[in-house]
Amino acid sequence: MRAIAVTKSRVLLVLAVIAAGLMYSGSTASAATVSINLCAVPGNATLTGTTTVPIWGFATTTTPGDCSSATASLPGPQLDVTLSATETTTVTFNVTNALPAGHSITFEIPGITFDAGSADVDPGGTLTRSFTAPASPSAAGAANAAGTYLYGSGGDGGRQQAMGLYGALIVRPSTAGQAYESAVTAYNVEAPLVLSAVDPALNNASDPMAFDMHSYRATYWLINGKAYPDTTGITATPGQNVLLRYLNAGYDNTSMMLLGMHEHVVAKDAWPLNNAYDATADTIPAGATEDVIATVPTGGGPSGSGFPLFNRQLHLTNGDQTGHSPLPLPGGGMLTFIHS
């Protein structure tokens, strides 16, 4: 009888230990995982009409390290990560350098805190960089939280970004239809706008490394890789909130102006503002991001095409304007419209 009692006691002890282990493991935070494969490759981009320039751009791929079918785009592909409401998210980038020999790339995302490790990779190699994003909603000021981020390569003394190695990373909160954790950032229509410029002399150079960046002079001003009239408009109806995600991938501080409605500035550099403010035009520094919400009014826009959204510095021409001053060639550049 005593032996049976001892056996029962041991069984109960084992069960108790197992139960305790299950309780412990259940309280341990798990992590979602997101893997993004990128290639940096040479390619071509059409700026407007028939104007095409060589670029170095990013492309997404299915298999890490395989760039055989990668096609460069300007800007690079938009990358999206949606945060979990219950667990942290580990985001891993596998970045393969398929640029010509001698051009090491540096993969960077200002505002993102990566795990320790190298940020550089030589041609033919693949770089792995990871960061951990918090569960959503996150604590105020949490690192790697929801927001609008600009990714790119800072290699070759800035020439690689000028050649086209940049793009948008959007980290979304767990609540759909919001730019950030706060309900005041709710929107109906979203428009990421990567602002950049091209100097064809750099892009057409046989060796971009030999190009003197002191002579860099942009003549094409782009929204999402296109100059007006080839830019894509933004469709929204009266009463809808339009989220404009500005990402300045150029070398100039850029002021964007919206005629006929106010921009409500809610975040800068993926950081929600404690005191959001209204503006007709606002300046986005080079390398920075900004999120604004504009509510479409009734009654139509000030233009037959809708509500003009354009570069306040009036970079509204395409190509070299030498010899055409004071009257520039027909309009173009960094211009689009919000229309219904």
Side-chain angles (χ1 to χ4, degrees), residues 59-159:
T60 54
T61 63
T62 303
T63 304
D66 182 6
C67 299
S68 58
S69 60
T71 301
S73 65
L74 185 72
Q78 178 178 309
L79 309 178
D80 291 84
V81 174
T82 299
L83 301 182
S84 167
T86 58
E87 56 190 1
T88 60
T89 301
T90 298
V91 182
T92 299
F93 296 91
N94 300 302
V95 185
T96 301
N97 183 353
L99 296 183
H103 298 284
S104 173
I105 68 171
T106 302
F107 187 72
E108 303 169 340
I109 307 179
I112 291 293
T113 301
F114 282 104
D115 296 344
S118 176
D120 303 299
V121 59
D122 292 330
T126 297
L127 169 72
T128 298
R129 301 205 76 185
S130 298
F131 71 88
T132 300
S136 171
S138 59
N144 304 333
T148 303
Y149 299 90
L150 180 69
Y151 72 86
S153 173
D156 289 342
R159 293 173 178 81

Side-chain angles (χ1 to χ4, degrees), residues 44-298:
N44 295 281
T46 300
L47 307 180
T48 188
T50 59
T51 302
T52 300
V53 294
I55 63 168
W56 292 345
F58 285 108
T60 54
T61 63
T62 303
T63 304
D66 182 6
C67 299
S68 58
S69 60
T71 301
S73 65
L74 185 72
Q78 178 178 309
L79 309 178
D80 291 84
V81 174
T82 299
L83 301 182
S84 167
T86 58
E87 56 190 1
T88 60
T89 301
T90 298
V91 182
T92 299
F93 296 91
N94 300 302
V95 185
T96 301
N97 183 353
L99 296 183
H103 298 284
S104 173
I105 68 171
T106 302
F107 187 72
E108 303 169 340
I109 307 179
I112 291 293
T113 301
F114 282 104
D115 296 344
S118 176
D120 303 299
V121 59
D122 292 330
T126 297
L127 169 72
T128 298
R129 301 205 76 185
S130 298
F131 71 88
T132 300
S136 171
S138 59
N144 304 333
T148 303
Y149 299 90
L150 180 69
Y151 72 86
S153 173
D156 289 342
R159 293 173 178 81
Q160 290 183 10
Q161 184 157 320
M163 286 289 291
L165 284 172
Y166 53 80
L169 166 67
I170 298 177
V171 179
R172 303 181 185 279
S174 59
T175 301
Q178 291 181 188
Y180 292 87
E181 309 288 8
S182 172
V184 300
T185 64
Y187 62 90
N188 306 105
V189 176
E190 178 185 64
L193 303 168
V194 180
L195 312 174
S196 62
V198 166
D199 179 355
L202 167 64
N203 290 73
N204 286 312
S206 57
D207 179 10
M209 277 299 291
F211 185 86
D212 182 3
M213 290 301 286
H214 291 97
S215 66
Y216 180 88
R217 179 173 173 265
T219 56
Y220 286 87
W221 306 88
L222 313 175
I223 298 177
N224 293 335
K226 297 293 184 181
Y228 188 80
D230 291 346
T231 52
T232 301
I234 302 164
T235 302
T237 57
Q240 287 191 318
N241 288 334
V242 180
L243 170 63
L244 303 174
R245 295 185 184 265
Y246 294 120
L247 304 98
N248 188 355
Y251 287 94
D252 295 301
N253 296 341
T254 299
S255 297
M256 295 300 291
M257 186 170 188
L258 181 58
L259 291 185
M261 66 178 87
H262 288 294
E263 299 176 303
H264 189 61
V265 184
V266 297
K268 291 176 178 285
D269 295 326
W271 192 273
L273 300 179
N274 291 327
N275 296 296
Y277 60 91
D278 288 337
T280 301
D282 208 40
T283 299
I284 304 97
T289 70
E290 181 169 300
D291 299 291
V292 311
I293 294 176
T295 302
V296 181
T298 58

